[in-house]
């Protein structure tokens, strides 16, 4: 028995025993259809959060004959001015103006508007003469003609965050 010559089975570095490679085609159409069906299902079944709207009730100026009185200790007034300027005073305007008790603050939650509201609520809670406590706070928001609408919304947001029950614009 004669053994075949290795050189005769190879030509130029290639072997005759080649593995045929089959081209594999995967049809992705059903997978794409399934993906779109899932996306459609989740879009229709999820509830999209809608923006909440704050109810704002403005009294008619002509119907108010005798405005109700408000105790000075319960009143906290914010004056909103242009260029993001914000002033506040407690109690009556005339008393605050005569005693130089009108202060400037900012719209900052920690050091500005939010802190002023929280400090006023804290002082009302500590005053044992009035059982209403922080719920008795009346926040008066007075935007001046130069104030931006965004500033009014920021003041209302801060009232909501600090759970001020009574406020007026």
């Amino acid at each position: 028995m004669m053994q075949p010559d290795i050189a005769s089975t190879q030509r130029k570095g290639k072997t005759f025993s080649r593995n045929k490679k089959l081209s594999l085609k995967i049809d992705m159409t059903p997978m794409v259809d399934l993906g779109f069906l899932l996306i459609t299902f989740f879009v229709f079944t999820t509830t999209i959060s809608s923006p909440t709207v704050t109810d704002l009730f403005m009294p008619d100026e002509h119907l108010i004959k005798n405005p109700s009185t408000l105790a000075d200790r319960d009143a906290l007034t914010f004056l909103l001015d242009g260029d993001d300027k914000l002033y506040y005073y407690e109690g009556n305007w005339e008393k605050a103006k005569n005693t130089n008790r009108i202060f400037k603050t900012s719209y900052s939650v920690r050091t500005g508007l939010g802190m002023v509201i929280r400090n006023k609520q804290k002082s009302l809670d500590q005053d044992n003469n009035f059982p209403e406590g922080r719920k008795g706070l009346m926040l008066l928001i007075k935007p001046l003609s130069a104030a931006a609408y965004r500033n009014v919304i920021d003041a209302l947001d801060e009232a909501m965050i600090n759970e001020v029950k009574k406020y007026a614009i």
Side-chain angles (χ1 to χ4, degrees):
M1 237 199 264
M2 212 169 166
Q3 290 192 350
D5 190 13
I6 296 176
S8 66
T9 59
Q10 295 180 350
R11 290 188 189 161
K12 298 183 184 177
K14 294 183 183 176
T15 62
F16 284 108
S17 60
R18 290 187 210 170
N19 290 334
K20 253 188 169 176
K21 299 227 174 182
L22 300 174
S23 65
L24 182 64
K25 290 187 177 182
I26 299 175
D27 187 16
M28 293 298 290
T29 307
M31 187 67 76
V32 172
D33 288 345
L34 180 65
F36 279 115
L37 283 173
L38 285 172
I39 289 171
T40 305
F41 172 76
F42 285 115
V43 165
F44 284 132
T45 57
T46 58
T47 58
I48 299 172
S49 64
S50 60
T52 58
V53 178
T54 301
D55 293 328
L56 181 62
F57 301 103
M58 300 296 285
D60 188 6
E61 293 177 2
H62 306 292
L63 297 177
I64 299 176
K65 304 261 192 256
N66 298 322
S68 61
T69 58
L70 179 64
D72 284 347
R73 66 158 183 85
D74 289 339
L76 178 62
T77 305
F78 287 107
L79 300 172
L80 313 177
D81 202 2
D83 297 329
D84 293 336
K85 292 180 184 171
L86 176 64
Y87 303 94
Y88 72 95
Y89 63 92
E90 295 181 23
N92 187 336
W93 166 254
E94 291 298 326
K95 288 180 187 177
K97 186 173 72 168
N98 292 337
T99 58
N100 287 334
R101 307 255 327 141
I102 301 171
F103 305 104
K104 186 175 182 178
T105 188
S106 67
Y107 288 95
S108 171
V109 175
R110 291 182 183 224
T111 61
L113 178 65
M115 185 184 73
V116 172
I117 293 173
R118 286 187 296 276
N119 287 342
K120 183 66 176 175
Q121 288 174 330
K122 187 177 178 182
S123 70
L124 288 173
D125 281 343
Q126 291 174 349
D127 192 357
N128 293 329
N129 295 331
F130 303 99
E132 202 171 10
R134 76 175 45 222
K135 293 179 183 176
L137 173 63
M138 179 65 181
L139 184 64
L140 302 168
I141 302 169
K142 296 183 179 182
L144 303 176
S145 60
Y149 182 73
R150 175 179 45 89
N151 294 343
V152 176
I153 298 301
D154 289 344
L156 284 172
D157 285 345
E158 205 54 52
M160 294 292 179
I161 290 169
N162 289 297
E163 298 176 357
V164 176
K165 301 295 182 194
K166 297 187 277 184
Y167 58 91
I169 298 178

